[in-house]
Amino acid sequence: MHPYKVKELAPDYVKVYESPDPAAVYAYSPGIAVLPGGRLIATLDISGPGMHAMPGPKRVIEGGALWYGKVFTSDDDGRTWMHRADFPFMHARPFAAGNRVYVIGHCNDLTIMYSDDNGDNWSDPTALTEGEMWHQAPANVHYAKGNVYLVMERITKPGVQGWPVSVIAPVLLRGKADSDLSRRENWTFASELVFQQAIPEEELDYFGVPFYPVEAGSANEVTPGRVCHRMGWLETNVVQFVDENHYLHDPSGATFHLWMRAHTGGSGFAAVAKAVEQSDGSILTMLEKAPSGRRLAYVPCPGGQMKFHILYDEATRLYWLLSTQATDSMTRAERLPSGRFNLPNNERNRLQLHFSRNGFDWCFAGLVAKTDSDTEARHYASMVIAGDDLLILSRSGDGNAPCAHNGNIISLHRVSRFRELVY
């Protein structure tokens, strides 16, 4: 190997789940949590045209497809996994709060279930909303002031044509960590800020966003089989700036920034907003402003064009970013290899790791894992800190996967002594 070639940090993996029928049953939405005693909880969901023939639990219809989710636990640091439960919702993520572990996701409405015995047994799912449509990927969970904070996203106009990211409102949820979070009254929902109302797309200029023209209420087939939808935001992480020297630091601790995947048709940007706790306990969502007074809705973010995951590490006082590396987003859509999924910025086979002091200036820490095939993805990953290591759960595919989007494996990767990557 060339001495200057970048080596993968964690190319090897443990299979947490593998599809029994890769051509027709796909594995999605990996979420991971570490409990105080060290047990690992992993969640995922499965879908695809083969779901009709799959044995197993109740499944739900959302987006015209059948879905259900699975919970696994590991007591040996991720080397082996035990299947614990199935659940009838999707886009789930696990998190610990009080003496419980929860899994939250959606079956159209927000849905949650819990375990009182560290994930051995699980309650029946409970709806937190009624008659609504929600969205989200397994993004991060933030703890502060005895509360748990996380974002779910409401689709405000369910009938919109195509991918509805232009009508998504990221909603910060706050719950007392020691309360019963399976009950709606124990959550505070922030006010809604809808992308198409917050950002006047037609007024944007000078930095190439959006990259492709897409008329309101429509989609643009850039080249046959490759479609771009109206721009928007989605898959939201929570970021709180604790450095008192940071321009966006709030000394009261009441401000939580929302770092979101920016669907622009291009790459390299994240979309941002903020949710601010009010004196009456409510939470207002709004755009941020730079010191100039200009609205701050886009920030540089390596991999911001795809689902990413942000963690704050107290030990290093750094933000860690797990995202998808783009290498050829400027290739003309009609000249992409036939195996590439959708648009040029939709490359999905390289997971990268960065760190930052401030959430704006990112230092490359390493390439976590990659493949040389356009169909064998390493993407849509979640991560947790476990002692000195970073554990990464990836939506992956091997040579049996039909495309990069529809993988057949949920893989666990370990970046050992990840803090030694800081320079």
Side-chain angles (χ1 to χ4, degrees):
M1 179 178 289
H2 194 285
Y4 299 119
K5 186 173 182 179
V6 172
K7 300 178 182 178
E8 296 166 70
L9 298 173
D12 298 327
Y13 58 85
V14 171
K15 292 180 183 178
V16 177
Y17 175 81
E18 183 172 9
S19 168
D21 183 2
V25 176
Y26 314 135
Y28 298 117
S29 306
I32 188 168
V34 58
L35 304 187
R39 169 174 276 191
L40 299 174
I41 305 286
T43 55
L44 58 100
D45 52 47
I46 58 176
S47 187
M51 290 289 284
H52 294 278
M54 281 278 289
K58 177 183 177 182
R59 54 216 65 191
V60 296
I61 298 177
E62 184 162 330
L66 290 172
W67 300 82
Y68 71 85
K70 292 181 171 291
V71 182
F72 295 83
T73 65
S74 174
D75 293 313
D76 58 7
D77 211 23
R79 288 185 290 273
T80 62
W81 293 84
M82 179 176 290
H83 175 232
R84 295 291 187 175
D86 296 314
F87 52 86
F89 54 96
M90 63 183 294
H91 285 173
R93 91 189 83 168
F95 65 94
N99 295 319
R100 283 180 171 174
V101 55
Y102 294 88
V103 173
I104 189 169
H106 59 87
C107 171
N108 296 312
D109 279 299
L110 285 187
T111 308
I112 194 168
M113 67 182 192
Y114 63 87
S115 172
D116 284 324
D117 55 11
N118 288 322
D120 286 353
N121 299 283
W122 291 85
S123 71
D124 291 332
T126 301
L128 296 176
T129 62
E130 183 177 355
E132 297 179 342
M133 290 193 67
W134 288 77
H135 181 270
Q136 179 57 310
N140 70 2
V141 178
H142 183 70
Y143 299 87
K145 301 181 290 187
N147 299 323
V148 57
Y149 296 85
L150 57 88
V151 175
M152 299 298 289
E153 300 162 349
R154 194 171 79 85
I155 301 174
T156 60
K157 294 182 180 179
V160 70
Q161 179 183 349
W163 200 28
V165 293
S166 65
V167 295
I168 276 180
V171 180
L172 182 69
L173 275 62
R174 179 189 65 211
K176 280 290 184 186
D178 58 359
S179 66
D180 182 356
L181 295 179
S182 68
R183 301 178 65 87
R184 170 65 178 83
E185 60 265 28
N186 290 330
W187 289 99
T188 298
F189 284 44
S191 65
E192 296 182 357
L193 185 69
V194 180
F195 179 88
Q196 70 174 14
Q197 297 169 350
I199 299 178
E201 181 175 326
E202 282 73 20
E203 296 179 17
L204 300 178
D205 210 346
Y206 297 110
F207 62 114
V209 171
F211 193 75
Y212 300 103
V214 182
E215 295 298 322
S218 69
N220 176 13
E221 190 172 39
V222 178
T223 194
R226 303 185 186 276
V227 177
C228 187
H229 298 272
R230 188 75 167 177
M231 64 186 290
W233 53 26
L234 68 157
E235 298 167 347
T236 310
N237 290 265
V238 182
V239 175
Q240 193 167 36
F241 295 113
V242 296
D243 179 3
E244 63 183 12
N245 298 314
H246 198 295
Y247 273 113
L248 302 187
H249 172 66
D250 177 358
S252 74
T255 299
F256 300 84
H257 284 87
L258 312 181
W259 239 250
M260 298 169 276
R261 172 184 175 182
H263 170 61
T264 66
S267 63
F269 290 105
V272 298
K274 66 179 179 179
V276 184
E277 295 175 318
Q278 306 298 297
S279 58
D280 64 358
S282 64
I283 309 172
L284 295 182
T285 310
M286 64 196 79
L287 292 182
E288 183 57 273
K289 288 186 177 180
S292 64
R294 295 282 185 172
R295 287 170 293 185
L296 183 64
Y298 288 99
V299 297
C301 181
Q305 73 280 355
M306 294 286 291
K307 187 262 186 187
F308 56 85
H309 194 109
I310 294 178
L311 285 180
Y312 180 71
D313 176 36
E314 293 279 358
T316 56
R317 295 182 63 84
L318 294 172
Y319 301 91
W320 291 82
L321 169 68
L322 179 68
S323 64
T324 295
Q325 187 180 61
T327 67
D328 66 351
S329 67
M330 293 304 291
T331 298
R332 291 183 177 274
E334 67 273 15
R335 298 181 184 177
L336 288 174
S338 59
R340 272 289 295 277
F341 179 77
N342 204 24
L343 296 172
N345 71 336
N346 227 280
E347 192 175 1
R348 295 170 178 254
N349 65 332
R350 290 170 170 250
L351 272 180
Q352 61 184 349
L353 186 66
H354 288 78
F355 61 87
S356 174
R357 294 174 55 191
N358 55 30
F360 284 72
D361 307 311
W362 294 99
C363 298
F364 179 69
L367 193 62
V368 174
K370 71 175 182 67
T371 73
D372 295 321
S373 165
D374 288 327
T375 60
E376 299 179 32
R378 301 288 184 269
H379 69 136
Y380 261 72
S382 299
M383 63 179 172
V384 291
I385 296 170
D388 295 326
D389 298 346
L390 201 59
L391 300 182
I392 294 168
L393 200 61
S394 170
R395 179 172 139 189
S396 299
D398 60 19
N400 297 313
C403 70
H405 184 275
N406 299 329
N408 61 318
I409 294 171
I410 300 297
S411 58
L412 179 74
H413 304 252
R414 178 183 300 273
V415 179
S416 300
R417 303 184 306 278
F418 76 99
R419 295 182 181 96
E420 295 179 11
L421 297 169
V422 177
Y423 54 89

